[in-house]
Amino acid sequence: MAINWGEAEEKAGGNFKDYAPAGVYKVKVAGIDIHEAGNNGSIAQDFKLAEDDYQYPKITHWLSFKNENWRFVHNRALMMLLGATKEDAQKAVELCESKGTKENIAKAYQQAYERLIKKNSPEVEIETWPDGKYSRADFTSTSVRMSHPDDEPYQKQDSAEDIIDSGDAITDDLDIPF
């Protein structure tokens, strides 16, 4: 069977682009989708990025209901990254948080971010990196960045005993007053 490949590509739908290779890019934030993810009630904030020569993976940050102070501060920082002043971001977070229930708070954040993105058309710096056969991304700003596998691993601190045991024994008299 002879296939008309031009017609097949057109009717297949979608304008498929390669994902951006690992690296740092300046991109526009195109939208946000706030939704429940998984079975434990976690709320994901998926920031969608505008395509250019590439498509970019969404950036997921969490709307934590286990640590509300972190939620307040993190969302203020995200809003500031997207162009809000500190004062406006604080007012928006307070308004969102005043909605009472988890579902209403999530809906309020959805609306607030949509308005902010529409008003500012924010351009942000992101980093992409491979994650198995897929690609992941996050903002590069240290005010909001979540860690990823290539970040510097946590360095275990030596215990006090390890430090003392590795030192040389002092044999001369010291002027210690006790």
Side-chain angles (χ1 to χ4, degrees):
M1 172 176 141
I3 298 173
N4 180 335
W5 287 104
E7 181 181 325
E9 288 173 354
E10 183 180 313
K11 289 184 178 180
N15 185 8
F16 301 105
K17 294 182 179 178
D18 289 335
Y19 271 102
V24 175
Y25 301 90
K26 277 267 200 202
V27 297
K28 288 200 177 276
V29 177
I32 185 168
D33 180 29
I34 298 179
H35 59 94
E36 191 169 324
N39 296 328
N40 66 358
S42 297
I43 305 291
Q45 299 178 107
D46 292 335
F47 292 90
K48 300 175 199 168
L49 306 170
E51 294 181 8
D52 48 29
D53 293 339
Y54 298 111
Q55 65 176 320
Y56 300 93
K58 67 183 183 239
I59 295 176
T60 302
H61 283 240
W62 297 94
L63 198 56
S64 172
F65 283 85
K66 293 181 180 175
N67 183 342
E68 69 179 13
N69 290 309
W70 182 86
R71 181 176 73 237
F72 305 157
V73 172
H74 190 68
N75 279 284
R76 178 186 67 187
L78 283 168
M79 289 179 184
M80 290 169 59
L81 179 72
L82 299 177
T85 65
K86 185 175 184 178
E87 295 76 24
D88 287 347
Q90 287 177 176
K91 286 178 189 174
V93 168
E94 289 171 3
L95 181 64
C96 293
E97 294 294 333
S98 72
K99 299 304 177 190
T101 67
K102 180 179 177 180
E103 292 77 15
N104 289 343
I105 290 170
K107 286 179 187 176
Y109 275 112
Q110 176 80 36
Q111 292 171 345
Y113 279 112
E114 285 173 350
R115 286 182 65 177
L116 182 61
I117 291 166
K118 184 177 180 179
K119 177 183 176 191
N120 291 342
S121 297
E123 186 174 67
V124 295
E125 187 175 80
I126 66 162
E127 180 181 8
T128 65
W129 66 92
D131 186 22
K133 64 181 183 176
Y134 299 103
S135 186
R136 294 193 51 208
D138 200 356
F139 303 110
T140 60
S141 173
T142 56
S143 66
V144 296
R145 184 179 176 91
M146 309 296 249
S147 63
H148 70 77
D150 294 334
D151 284 345
E152 190 66 32
Y154 171 75
Q155 299 296 317
K156 180 183 173 288
Q157 297 284 329
D158 290 333
S159 69
E161 291 89 14
D162 291 341
I163 293 169
I164 292 170
D165 289 346
S166 67
D168 293 331
I170 307 292
T171 56
D172 59 338
D173 289 336
L174 297 175
D175 292 325
I176 299 176
F178 50 86

